[in-house]
């Protein structure tokens, strides 16, 4: 299909695709950078102190506004909006951390002689497959406990 297009049309289409890709990559990178900076700032003790201060100021202004519905609506709206936005920042940060941790563990599994390479990419297994693997590890743990009890030294036997 691409071979049917004139060369200039293919070049234009490739440039448009590249521009779109560059735009989305730029947006993704900007969000990643923003999320990382935000999580480090908003996860600090100073941010917590600032939130407590805002709540205290809101409480102190209660008598001035006669604890009205509008006074309550202000804090409810503010906390709802902040919570809504924080969900995305937290999820982005957790996704990146989890992906990095999986890659590090995968590298260790590959590097350790005798390790089961089948354990690489466990996160892509189904729930049923994960349950079966969990049962295998429970059996191994029980076997190790029996071996440790039989050996009588209390230190346990090495599992390999």
């Amino acid at each position: 299909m691409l071979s049917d297009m004139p060369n200039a049309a293919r070049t234009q289409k490739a440039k448009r695709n590249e521009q779109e890709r560059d735009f989305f990559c730029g947006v993704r990178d900007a969000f990643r950078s923003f999320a990382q900076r935000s999580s480090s700032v908003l996860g600090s003790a100073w941010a917590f102190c600032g939130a407590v201060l805002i709540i205290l100021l809101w409480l102190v202004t209660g008598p001035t506004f006669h604890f009205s519905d509008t006074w309550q609506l202000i804090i409810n709206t503010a906390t709802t909006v902040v919570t809504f936005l924080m969900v995305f920042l937290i999820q982005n940060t957790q996704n990146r951390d989890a992906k990095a941790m999986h890659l590090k563990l995968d590298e260790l599994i590959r590097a350790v002689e005798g390790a089961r390479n089948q354990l690489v990419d466990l996160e892509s297994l189904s729930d049923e497959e994960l349950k079966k693997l969990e049962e295998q590890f429970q059996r191994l743990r029980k076997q190790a406990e029996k071996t440790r009890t039989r050996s009588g030294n209390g230190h346990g036997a090495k599992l390999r």
Side-chain angles (χ1 to χ4, degrees), residues 94-146:
Q94 284 182 338
N95 288 348
R96 287 185 51 76
D97 288 347
K99 186 180 284 187
M101 185 64 67
H102 287 289
L103 292 171
K104 290 174 184 180
L105 290 172
D106 289 350
E107 176 61 19
L108 288 174
I109 290 169
R110 286 186 193 105
V112 173
E113 189 176 327
R116 294 190 286 175
N117 287 333
Q118 299 89 350
L119 297 180
V120 174
D121 294 330
L122 284 180
E123 62 276 8
S124 64
L125 295 180
S126 69
D127 288 341
E128 184 179 308
E129 291 169 321
L130 286 173
K131 183 71 177 163
K132 287 178 184 176
L133 190 60
E134 181 183 22
E135 289 167 357
Q136 286 178 9
F137 279 110
Q138 286 174 349
R139 283 193 302 275
L140 284 172
R141 183 183 51 80
K142 287 177 184 175
Q143 287 174 354
E145 287 174 355
K146 287 178 186 176

Side-chain angles (χ1 to χ4, degrees), residues 2-15:
L2 268 178
S3 60
D4 294 344
M5 286 186 188
N7 206 13
R10 274 188 285 174
T11 304
Q12 269 187 329
K13 186 173 182 175
K15 283 182 182 179

